[in-house]
Amino acid sequence: MAKLTNEEIIASLKEMTILELNDLVKAIEEEFGVTAAAPVAAAAAPVEEAAPQGPTEVTVLLKEVGQQKIAVIKAVKEATGLNLMEAKKIVDSVTPDNPGVIKENVKIEDADAIKEQILAAGGVVEYKA
């Protein structure tokens, strides 16, 4: 028997009716001992279980300022929309035992963007639920 190419198989499948395709699937399942529906059901189950399990909003805290204090002040200013003096007060208030609050009740996605800005400026950020 000559081996069929993928294009030939696809062309013959296009010509089949739904009933013929259904019979073909059943025949393949019986011949090879597989089930066509199993991977679909297995793939659907994890999607249902992937509901968010953590907090949806967090408080972004400035844990450490780092070596580039001016860059961190500018990053805090951009992230919060505060003026330069207010951003400087936040940065100046940071101690090892007392992190400064950058922004409260922020969505995780926005918090990640703020964290990237602060990290790029040389600061260290953490979240509090």
Side-chain angles (χ1 to χ4, degrees):
M1 180 173 170
K3 189 173 182 179
L4 298 174
T5 64
N6 289 343
E7 291 81 22
E8 292 171 332
I9 294 171
I10 291 171
S12 65
L13 289 174
K14 287 181 180 179
E15 295 175 7
M16 296 178 128
T17 66
I18 297 295
L19 292 175
E20 291 171 330
L21 287 171
N22 188 34
D23 290 340
L24 176 63
V25 169
K26 287 180 183 176
I28 291 171
E29 288 176 341
E30 289 175 14
E31 179 69 26
F32 297 104
V34 295
T35 304
V40 174
V47 172
E48 294 172 10
E49 295 174 11
Q53 295 179 353
T56 57
E57 293 185 344
V58 294
T59 299
V60 182
L61 303 171
L62 179 60
K63 186 82 172 160
E64 294 177 26
V65 176
Q67 299 294 321
Q68 302 291 327
K69 185 175 180 179
I70 294 172
V72 173
I73 292 171
K74 288 179 181 179
V76 169
K77 177 184 177 287
E78 287 180 34
T80 59
L82 298 173
N83 66 40
L84 196 57
M85 289 303 294
E86 292 169 330
K88 183 179 183 306
K89 284 180 185 177
I90 292 173
V91 173
D92 286 342
S93 71
V94 174
T95 64
D97 298 329
N98 184 29
V101 176
I102 297 174
K103 211 165 188 181
E104 295 179 321
N105 301 325
V106 181
K107 292 183 181 179
I108 297 292
E109 298 83 23
D110 297 334
D112 289 340
I114 293 170
K115 182 177 182 177
E116 286 181 30
Q117 285 179 322
I118 305 297
L119 289 176
V124 176
V125 173
E126 70 178 21
Y127 300 150
K128 182 173 116 179

